Amino acid sequence: RQDPDVIMIWEMRDPETIQAALTLAETWHLVLSTLHTNDSVQTIDRIVDVFPSWKQKQIRMILAMSLVWILSQRLLPRIDKEWRIPAREIMLTNDAIKNLIIWWRTHQLYWVLEMWKKAWMILMDKYLVALYRKWLISKDTLTSYVRDKDWIEMLLN
């Protein structure tokens, strides 16, 4: 009965909730939600994979056209062990990201995030390295949370 402009969905766990969020986003509502994933790519994959295979192409199209950004965040133990510090991954949609979602090539999104870093996007791995270089997290924390362990080993050696 109301006409809200902004809608918050605490967590998208089932196809019905995700479908409702996508429908609202398609109708120009700002939908904010949470999803328990480790990064942007896992978020997109989880949203699409919750639907049956015959519906996934349609969901990818709706998601690609409606998605504005994904912010992934993890709270990590600081090196001083007193506090925790957030590590973030930021993905803002652009044409390249939309096409990769539509054609279901989400594994290539990591590369796009790397290439478009000037557009306020950052990979979780890069953010973790920045925290490590600022002496905010330990090497153990870095290596346990990073996605590309080979890249980190090469970078640290």
Side-chain angles (χ1 to χ4, degrees):
R1 297 187 183 158
Q2 305 271 329
D3 186 21
D5 295 321
V6 180
I7 299 166
M8 178 67 197
I9 300 172
W10 292 114
E11 186 179 354
M12 297 189 299
R13 294 184 187 196
D14 54 78
E16 294 79 20
T17 305
I18 294 172
Q19 181 70 60
L22 291 172
T23 301
L24 289 165
E26 270 188 304
T27 57
W28 294 94
H29 291 83
L30 175 61
V31 180
L32 305 172
S33 186
T34 63
L35 196 60
H36 292 280
T37 57
N38 290 328
D39 61 28
S40 303
V41 175
Q42 285 184 12
T43 301
I44 292 167
D45 289 343
R46 172 95 45 93
I47 289 170
V48 174
D49 286 342
V50 78
F51 292 95
S53 59
W54 60 270
K55 197 172 184 180
Q56 288 182 358
K57 184 176 182 181
Q58 176 192 9
I59 296 301
R60 288 194 317 265
M61 183 66 74
I62 294 169
L63 183 60
M65 294 303 129
S66 303
L67 188 65
V68 178
W69 55 267
I70 295 175
L71 169 68
S72 299
Q73 180 173 283
R74 300 176 119 188
L75 286 174
L76 308 175
R78 284 178 54 118
I79 205 161
D80 59 13
K81 306 284 186 206
E82 248 182 79
W83 304 95
R84 296 176 141 287
I85 189 163
R88 296 179 186 97
E89 178 173 280
I90 301 170
M91 183 187 81
L92 304 169
T93 56
N94 57 28
D95 289 339
I97 288 173
K98 289 177 182 184
N99 283 326
L100 291 173
I101 294 170
I102 290 168
W103 297 108
W104 203 233
R105 296 193 173 117
T106 54
H107 63 281
Q108 294 176 353
L109 287 172
Y110 295 114
W111 180 82
V112 173
L113 285 170
E114 177 66 28
M115 297 307 296
W116 286 80
K117 57 187 167 202
K118 291 180 183 172
W120 292 91
M121 290 194 249
I122 187 165
L123 281 169
M124 181 67 76
D125 288 1
K126 290 275 186 168
Y127 202 96
L128 291 168
V129 169
L131 291 175
Y132 174 71
R133 288 186 172 158
K134 292 178 183 176
W135 296 95
L136 294 170
I137 62 172
S138 67
K139 185 177 179 181
D140 290 339
T141 302
L142 171 68
T143 55
S144 64
Y145 285 95
V146 76
R147 180 185 55 83
D148 190 351
K149 295 188 186 314
D150 295 334
W151 175 74
I152 291 298
E153 287 301 319
M154 183 182 69
L155 187 69
L156 297 177
N157 291 333

